[in-house]
Amino acid sequence: MAKIIVVTSGKGGVGKTTSSAAIGTGLALKGHKTVIVDFDIGLRNLDLIMGCERRVVYDFVNVINGEANLKQALIKDKRLDNLFILPASQTRDKDALTKEGVDKVLQDLAKDFEFIICDSPAGIEAGAMMALYFADEAVVVTNPEVSSVRDSDRILGMLSSKSRRAENSEESIKEHLLLTRYNPERVAKGEMLSVEDVQDILAIPLLGVIPESQAVLNASNSGQPVTLDQESDAGQAYLDTVSRLLGENVDFRFLSVEKKGLLKRIFGG
Amino acid sequence: MSEPFFELKGSLFPLSVIHSTDLSEAAIRAALEQKLSQAPAFFHQAAMVIQLTPEHDAIDFIALKHLFQELKLVLVGVSGASPEQKALAQQAGLASLRLGQNSKPSPSQPQTTESTSSSEVRVEEVPMQTKLVEQNIRSGQQIYAKGADLIICGAVGAGAEVIADGNIHIYGSLRGKAIAGAAGDSSKRIYCQNLQAELVSIAGHYWLSESLQGDYWTKQCCIQMQGDSIAIRDL
């Protein structure tokens, strides 16, 4: 049975698409057949982050409208055999998604894939609701600052009331907190909320903490999911996150200020 | 699946219960008329029950029933009746009710009646219901306990609202708004484990976060009315 995981946040620009790409890639790296679905109709970005923007022919909306079949729209990743992307339409808007249509596409994907990652658009309107409606689990991406935390709280409320599981009174969606852009130095100076602060407010289990890193920006610009950059702290943190998502027990890293050695201080680093 | 056309289900309703040592028609008429003059709309066609004790004898239930009709009230039954009283009440077409275990007035309970009525007549409201919520209340969510107390086993997030006509108990942090006594009862209170509220209100009086930043901020406390203003105290 395929697991549908929505990556959501409420607030924009916190790293949903980056995290969707990184988690999807991480799952594929660990041998699980995974598809990442871009729900951000009209603001298509996932293809850029995944580096497949030139290969988009048909999209999600085409499939829903019956203008193409799933096979035609799915883009196979060039680096990993068991990773696929279902791109969003750039020319349509979010009303192009219907509940019945999305349900049908997800059911068809579930026959083939182990994990379906739904990259949600920002906001709490129809598009975001559609992305979370069918989810089994949710990764709530949050930056350590108050507005992002409040928006995440709002989305958590939606997850527990507006999803299919909530409407059918089934077991509720499993919620995970993913803290991104975490900067231990700024936390130490009191300029940023700490992991404990955010957890205290949101009160859901912590799935991962991704340090603020130049590697993330580089990865996005070059269309390489950051998980593939296993030298980088962010890449390692995302791999840890994926392990935890698979139920492994992994210690948290990159939470405290790194002490710089003498040489590093002299030569910079 | 078709709906069954007939079902019997047990339900609880608030009923006003009359306690009086003198159940003669004249005494009850005087006491009820005075009550009604204070709040005519509130008691319009209200369902009422008479509490009996063994001391009451030879009550004319039929006359009382007519009296209630005349005053636009509905006498539905009696409570605590002896077998003889029960028979009399049945003749008048009244139900004989039994109090639930929890609603027996305890002897130590202070009397809430105003000392306005001449005799010992008092109208007692049956205890409020309770609404229990066992999850965190997230930003943007609103919970209203109509005619009931509200118990939240979880936190109330910033931007969330919890409202009750009765008291509010929050076994978690209160970061949003809490409004108790929403129907205007200023004896209602708010209890919370960690006060970081945006707003607390009791019966229309309210304090914003600014006024709450005192000794009790981030502490457990009880918020209640003291005279005409809100006061906070230790639990």
Side-chain angles (χ1 to χ4, degrees):
Chain A
M1 187 58 194
K3 213 175 248 179
I4 303 176
I5 302 175
V6 61
V7 178
T8 186
S9 72
K11 193 175 185 320
V14 296
K16 283 182 296 298
T17 302
T18 303
S19 297
S20 298
I23 290 171
T25 307
L27 286 166
L29 270 175
K30 288 182 180 284
H32 300 280
K33 195 172 181 192
T34 304
V35 57
I36 314 173
V37 184
D38 192 350
F39 273 80
D40 205 347
I41 312 296
L43 292 168
R44 189 177 82 198
N45 283 158
L46 179 69
D47 51 324
L48 290 169
I49 309 287
M50 294 298 295
C52 62
E53 68 275 16
R54 290 164 198 277
R55 297 161 61 208
V56 176
V57 183
Y58 293 108
D59 58 52
F60 196 1
V61 175
N62 291 138
V63 177
I64 284 179
N65 292 345
E67 295 149 6
N69 63 35
L70 253 183
K71 250 202 189 105
Q72 290 172 302
L74 283 174
I75 303 173
K76 188 169 180 295
D77 189 79
K78 282 197 165 159
R79 297 151 294 217
L80 296 164
D81 280 342
N82 49 4
L83 179 61
F84 290 78
I85 291 104
L86 182 57
S89 168
Q90 183 68 351
T91 50
R92 307 293 291 274
D93 63 34
K94 290 175 175 71
D95 299 328
L97 297 180
T98 61
K99 231 174 222 179
E100 297 72 33
V102 172
D103 191 18
K104 171 87 174 46
V105 171
L106 291 179
Q107 276 183 27
D108 288 347
L109 288 172
K111 289 175 198 152
D112 252 352
F113 290 92
E114 276 181 78
F115 287 97
I116 302 169
I117 309 289
C118 302
D119 180 21
S120 170
I124 53 169
E125 285 78 31
M129 290 302 107
M130 199 63 79
L132 67 78
Y133 185 74
F134 297 98
D136 301 310
E137 298 192 17
V139 174
V140 178
V141 183
T142 307
N143 287 169
E145 46 99 14
V146 283
S147 59
S148 174
V149 172
R150 178 173 295 188
D151 291 0
S152 295
D153 198 38
R154 183 96 166 97
I155 274 291
L156 284 165
M158 299 282 187
L159 286 168
S160 61
S161 60
K162 296 277 161 64
S163 64
R164 178 170 63 176
R165 280 168 176 262
E167 283 181 6
N168 297 349
S169 313
E170 292 167 34
E171 194 187 339
S172 56
I173 294 180
K174 199 170 166 191
E175 298 154 341
H176 306 279
L177 173 63
L178 179 62
L179 213 50
T180 56
R181 297 221 175 117
Y182 195 72
N183 186 333
E185 280 175 35
R186 293 191 56 199
V187 172
K189 282 190 215 155
E191 296 170 355
M192 208 179 238
L193 293 176
S194 69
V195 177
E196 292 76 24
D197 292 338
V198 178
Q199 264 202 296
D200 183 43
I201 297 174
L202 293 180
I204 56 171
L206 185 64
L207 180 70
V209 180
I210 313 299
E212 190 166 42
S213 166
Q214 186 62 36
V216 175
L217 206 60
N218 294 345
S220 299
N221 287 335
S222 61
Q224 293 268 353
V226 70
T227 327
L228 294 173
D229 180 4
Q230 283 162 27
E231 302 284 294
S232 70
D233 48 359
Q236 292 172 33
Y238 269 118
L239 269 184
D240 287 358
T241 302
V242 170
S243 299
R244 288 187 206 105
L245 196 59
L246 292 168
E248 291 169 40
N249 204 348
V250 185
D251 285 341
F252 286 93
R253 296 190 275 173
F254 318 112
L255 294 189
S256 49
V257 183
E258 219 178 303
K259 291 222 166 59
K260 281 187 181 171
L262 183 64
L263 285 175
K264 241 187 176 175
R265 261 189 235 181
I266 295 169
F267 297 110
Chain B
M1 234 172 61
S2 65
E3 290 274 310
F5 98 100
F6 181 80
E7 269 184 297
L8 273 180
K9 286 182 174 174
S11 299
L12 293 168
F13 299 96
L15 290 173
S16 296
V17 181
I18 294 174
H19 297 247
S20 173
T21 49
D22 185 356
L23 285 179
S24 70
E25 199 195 332
I28 294 290
R29 177 189 289 277
L32 279 176
E33 275 177 348
Q34 195 190 352
K35 243 329 172 221
L36 288 175
S37 67
Q38 292 167 7
F42 187 76
F43 289 108
H44 184 72
Q45 294 294 354
M48 297 209 168
V49 171
I50 296 177
Q51 175 71 43
L52 297 175
T53 62
E55 285 82 58
H56 292 126
D57 54 282
I59 303 156
D60 188 349
F61 284 117
I62 297 175
L64 282 177
K65 212 177 160 189
H66 287 142
L67 167 67
F68 276 70
Q69 261 170 17
E70 192 188 315
L71 296 173
K72 299 218 166 17
L73 298 168
V74 185
L75 182 59
V76 292
V78 295
S79 170
S82 66
E84 299 84 54
Q85 290 169 332
K86 221 181 250 180
L88 276 172
Q90 270 167 17
Q91 279 170 21
L94 296 177
S96 180
L97 306 170
R98 259 187 329 152
L99 277 181
Q101 204 105 69
N102 296 330
S103 47
K104 277 193 186 139
S106 65
S108 62
Q109 196 178 306
Q111 300 215 340
T112 49
T113 112
E114 316 91 289
S115 53
T116 45
S117 48
S118 49
S119 67
E120 289 89 331
V121 171
R122 64 192 167 95
V123 174
E124 182 186 59
E125 290 296 323
V126 168
M128 280 201 159
Q129 304 288 304
T130 301
K131 186 183 173 94
L132 174 64
V133 181
E134 285 185 293
Q135 62 176 44
N136 295 314
I137 312 301
R138 303 290 182 181
S139 184
Q141 289 183 314
Q142 199 184 47
I143 306 279
Y144 176 35
K146 187 170 168 50
D149 281 358
L150 179 58
I151 298 179
I152 308 224
C153 295
V156 176
E161 280 180 30
V162 290
I163 307 167
D165 290 341
N167 302 296
I168 300 178
H169 304 250
I170 300 163
Y171 297 99
S173 300
L174 168 58
R175 298 192 180 85
K177 299 180 182 177
I179 297 158
D185 185 347
S186 58
S187 69
K188 301 304 176 195
R189 298 176 176 186
I190 299 167
Y191 300 87
C192 71
Q193 290 297 312
N194 185 332
L195 177 69
Q196 300 175 45
E198 292 169 348
L199 175 146
V200 293
S201 163
I202 292 170
H205 301 264
Y206 68 89
W207 273 8
L208 288 173
S209 172
E210 273 182 347
S211 323
L212 299 168
Q213 313 270 348
D215 294 343
Y216 293 102
W217 192 248
T218 73
K219 304 266 169 27
Q220 55 177 22
C221 61
C222 165
I223 297 152
Q224 64 187 86
M225 289 299 290
Q226 209 167 62
D228 280 341
S229 87
I230 290 179
I232 312 182
R233 65 170 178 78
D234 268 324
L235 272 186

